Amino acid sequence: MQKQIYLDHAATTPVHPRVLEAMLPFFTEKFGNASSIYSMARDSRKALDEARDTVAEVLSCKPTELIFTSGGSESDNTAIKGSAFANKSAGNHIITSSIEHHAVLHTCQFLEKFGFEVTYLPVDRYGLVDPAEVEKAITDRTVLVTIMLANNEVGTVEPLREISRITRAKGVTLHTDAVQAAGALDLSVDKLGVDMLSLSGHKFYGPKGVGLLYVRRGVPFLPQQQGGGQERNRRAGTENVAGIAGFAEALKLASENMQSTNEHCVRLRDRLIKGVLERIDHVSLNGHPSERLPNNVNLAFEYVEGESILLNLDMLGIAASSGSACTSSSLEPSHVLTAMGVSVEVAHGSLRMTLGTDNSEEDIDYVISVLPGIIEKLRALSPLVAKP
């Protein structure tokens, strides 16, 4: 049987066995609706309260400041729309970066249809937002700044604490998409200085379909989903009790094991980067060389298409992803890479490999051993390479 190596942990992760164990009772004997009043329902309500307490401890916030959602995209949408519409009488200007996840970018573009003005800040060649540019962009009509904590494609960690000092001084709400940072970076909301923060369970060995939005007490916020009084009237809909229980357990485990997980991933990450750069010509590392997520490797190979690399890796049992959006039936290259100044041609040849707790040095060495041959074969077929 062919060896299977999973290197796409930024896309999703397997559910941890302890997380699954925490979820199972709420599919069977504890299936009650948390909004009902009988004993079976009280079990579900207790599970929600305990999950909220667990997450609050990790984020160093109040349990009442947490809203459970269906995932990172809903959390981003709810944070941005909820803040923007709640503050519309005070101003209509939003600031974000050009490398945000589409859940942020598309939401900001949506709000432009309702009279909001959005500033999309540039980034440098490493994908870093300049805090000075944030300060320069703020006007007396600015009501929200939304900057991600860590980039999902290239892994660059943004200077959010510096940005938060600026937004605090200006009295502007700050939201961060921290979906990729959970389990890798400190999520203490006070240390980060954020007013709102988004998370998604399946990025840190939790279930899909459950996420979280932190909203600091006192921050203007207009609920975006109506129909019930759940989540303290901030997000209507029967709670996904099993998913929420799994989310809390996964976040707790990720927090407790963060140091050992990071050390493991950094060791493998650096081994992979070094091995590829030593064995293959015309390849470069995308993202910041040091201020990056412990598990992220994003490489740009000249004269090849990222999708072709992925297909060849898949035939050898290796699952990874491309920085190009071509795999989603779009001919456009990664908006993150082009915003960083990477040419369209090179951006199409990007490969993202994101590591996890299940990966080993043997996995990395196998990738290093097969990737040069794949690139050589593809370049031999490429019309972009000058033939002898």
Side-chain angles (χ1 to χ4, degrees), residues 77-121:
N77 271 260
T78 302
I80 296 168
K81 294 174 185 174
S83 176
F85 286 122
N87 283 291
K88 195 168 186 183
S89 61
N92 65 339
H93 181 227
I94 298 169
I95 298 171
T96 189
S97 84
S98 54
I99 62 164
E100 298 294 314
H101 189 278
H102 283 126
V104 169
L105 292 177
H106 289 173
T107 302
C108 288
Q109 291 162 9
F110 171 83
L111 287 174
E112 289 180 292
K113 300 176 183 177
F114 292 85
F116 287 91
E117 297 177 3
V118 183
T119 297
Y120 299 91
L121 295 175

Side-chain angles (χ1 to χ4, degrees), residues 199-210:
L199 294 175
S200 183
H202 73 108
K203 304 295 187 178
F204 46 88
Y205 304 93
K208 297 175 181 65
V210 60

Side-chain angles (χ1 to χ4, degrees), residues 50-64:
E50 290 177 349
R52 214 178 299 275
D53 289 341
T54 298
V55 175
E57 188 172 345
V58 175
L59 270 59
S60 301
C61 69
K62 299 178 180 66
T64 53

Side-chain angles (χ1 to χ4, degrees), residues 247-300:
F247 179 101
E249 181 68 17
L251 189 62
K252 177 186 175 183
L253 290 171
S255 178
E256 291 174 348
N257 300 324
M258 184 165 65
Q259 182 175 344
S260 60
T261 299
N262 284 353
E263 290 173 354
H264 171 75
C265 288
V266 165
R267 184 172 66 253
L268 298 185
R269 179 198 71 186
D270 293 348
R271 186 184 187 96
L272 179 56
I273 292 171
K274 183 173 184 291
V276 172
L277 294 181
E278 285 180 349
R279 289 167 174 78
I280 303 175
D281 294 328
H282 303 293
V283 58
S284 56
L285 178 68
N286 294 317
H288 199 282
S290 58
E291 297 300 314
R292 70 186 299 126
L293 290 173
N295 73 334
N296 179 286
V297 178
N298 189 300
L299 300 164

Side-chain angles (χ1 to χ4, degrees), residues 152-301:
N152 53 300
E153 286 193 29
V154 299
T156 296
V157 178
E158 299 297 340
L160 201 63
R161 289 171 182 167
E162 295 176 50
I163 293 170
S164 72
R165 284 194 283 270
I166 295 166
T167 56
R168 284 283 175 88
K170 300 282 189 179
V172 176
T173 298
L174 176 62
H175 164 255
T176 190
D177 176 341
V179 166
Q180 288 294 332
L185 302 176
D186 187 348
L187 295 180
S188 169
V189 292
D190 286 336
K191 289 180 182 178
L192 292 172
V194 298
D195 302 299
M196 297 188 290
L197 179 145
S198 300
L199 294 175
S200 183
H202 73 108
K203 304 295 187 178
F204 46 88
Y205 304 93
K208 297 175 181 65
V210 60
L212 181 90
L213 174 61
Y214 157 78
V215 180
R216 187 179 294 277
R217 182 180 179 184
V219 169
F221 174 79
L222 184 66
Q224 295 300 296
Q225 186 161 305
Q226 287 72 45
Q230 295 88 352
E231 297 301 294
R232 297 171 65 89
N233 293 306
R234 296 170 301 183
R235 197 264 187 184
T238 300
E239 298 93 344
N240 175 7
V241 180
I244 290 168
F247 179 101
E249 181 68 17
L251 189 62
K252 177 186 175 183
L253 290 171
S255 178
E256 291 174 348
N257 300 324
M258 184 165 65
Q259 182 175 344
S260 60
T261 299
N262 284 353
E263 290 173 354
H264 171 75
C265 288
V266 165
R267 184 172 66 253
L268 298 185
R269 179 198 71 186
D270 293 348
R271 186 184 187 96
L272 179 56
I273 292 171
K274 183 173 184 291
V276 172
L277 294 181
E278 285 180 349
R279 289 167 174 78
I280 303 175
D281 294 328
H282 303 293
V283 58
S284 56
L285 178 68
N286 294 317
H288 199 282
S290 58
E291 297 300 314
R292 70 186 299 126
L293 290 173
N295 73 334
N296 179 286
V297 178
N298 189 300
L299 300 164
F301 298 88

